[in-house]
Amino acid sequence: MDWYMRFNIMRERPLINRYKDNFAGIIVDAHVLESFAGATSRFLSTVKKPFIIDPVTYKFSTYNSLQLFSNKRWYPKLFTKFYDGIIEIKELNEDEDENEFLSERPAIRIEPEHFEDEKILKNYVNKVLSYQRTRVSEESGDLKIFEDLPQSTPLILIPPYDIIMKSINDEWLTMNVEFVKKAIQLKNKDEKIFPVIAIYKDLIHRDDFINNLVTKYNIDGVDGYFVWVSDFKETREDQNYLSNYFDFFRKLKSNNKPIINFYGGYMSMVASSTNILDGFSSAIGYGEYRNPFTEGGPAPEQYYLDLFHTNVPKDEVNSLLTITNHPRCNCEKCQIEDLEEIELMDSLEHLLLTKIKELQFLNSHNINQIKQELQNIIQTMEHVDEDHNLITHYRHISRWLEVLNNLDIKR
Ligand SMILES: [Zn+2]
């Protein structure tokens, strides 16, 4: 299974570099690239790992995009790169005083109607693909002097996309598909195109919608899919959501292309180990789900507890380990007196090491053994937490098991 690591914060560089052998590639959002263009480009071109740039075009088109993002420093920069000469906006001049520059930010929300003209659509898709092809090498060009062969082109290109919110008739669905078709016409021989299929999570209950979606994205020339069920937190969703989540992946699998879950946790790892998915992505300690209608940001102080396959608040780690009699993590970073005092970067490294162990476990065990491990957790908790005082920390385990029991997985 392919594990793609998301990279958003500069302090994550040493960790990603240290554990890069475990990752199939690194995904960086275009707005992060624009915010820290030099540092991000230098990192991507020297880390010697394939990278992918997510164009995050939805940030210009969600209903609250202006309110959320238009005051960000990256907003006018990225807007200009994608829409300049396509959508009428005020002239932006970077030489101007910064405050003036920001006050003249384009305040327009992108809508499907903007691309009704075939030429505009083609121009737009080309701009978004070209951005991914050239942005890193442009910015890190001077590195070529002393680096043998800096990697400066992305592993996979992503056509522009909006999140599909409403229904089968969502105009963005039609437009997203047009973007994909155009991207395929514009791709070079050695390039791969993976569209992002981003849907509002309630839509996974709609069979008619999902069937139509799968058919519409069955496009010749597509090399795989990134899937994003928005705001889908695997530890929070009920059995109905979880089982429809898997159903969606399985239906899409009928198109015979690799599927990578763009934001996933332990259940996406399980799905990848059983070939329902081909891989997953997350950031270090966050990004296991994403709500496009909020600003997002790094996780609060947490500790990844392998027992529950999720994070728990740092100040509860000691009591949880004592109550459950679960062995303390033996990784290098956890060899401190009081785990609640673990430093942020150490807790993130611990999380990576724990996920690596989880992947090794999933890759070397069959589905019955994977389910048995979940069953063991439930039994332990029934024993030590009879009154269910701690149920909020592990309720998801029994939901996961129930959903996996109802799935017909052969492996
Ligand atoms: Zn540890």
Side-chain angles (χ1 to χ4, degrees), residues 303-304 329-335 339 342 346 349-351 353-354 357:
Y303 180 86
Y304 194 85
C329 175
N330 60 8
C331 90
E332 181 196 330
K333 299 295 162 188
C334 292
Q335 305 313 305
L339 269 186
I342 191 167
D346 288 343
E349 188 156 358
H350 150 81
L351 174 139
L353 288 164
T354 310
K357 275 189 220 159

Side-chain angles (χ1 to χ4, degrees), residues 323-324 377-391 394:
I323 293 165
T324 58
I377 301 168
I378 296 167
Q379 267 162 5
T380 301
M381 295 316 293
E382 274 169 7
H383 188 66
V384 302
D385 186 35
E386 280 180 346
D387 299 333
H388 291 177
N389 293 323
L390 304 171
I391 190 83
Y394 63 89

Side-chain angles (χ1 to χ4, degrees), residues 5-8 26-34 40 44 51-60 74 78 82 128-129 131-133 135-136 154-163 194-198 226-228 261-263 281 290 292:
M5 179 49 67
R6 290 189 159 270
F7 164 58
N8 298 296
I26 299 169
I27 304 179
V28 64
D29 288 346
H31 70 286
V32 173
L33 179 53
E34 285 312 309
T40 306
L44 292 178
F51 66 84
I52 296 162
I53 299 170
D54 180 349
V56 297
T57 44
Y58 66 88
K59 285 186 184 285
F60 297 106
W74 53 263
L78 204 53
F82 290 165
V128 173
L129 297 184
Y131 174 85
Q132 296 168 58
R133 287 183 185 119
R135 188 69 181 95
V136 167
L155 176 71
I156 290 167
L157 295 175
I158 299 177
Y161 65 99
D162 184 69
I163 173 124
F194 277 48
V196 176
I197 306 181
F226 291 122
V227 173
W228 176 17
N261 193 11
F262 231 18
Y263 303 94
S281 161
R290 189 186 266 187

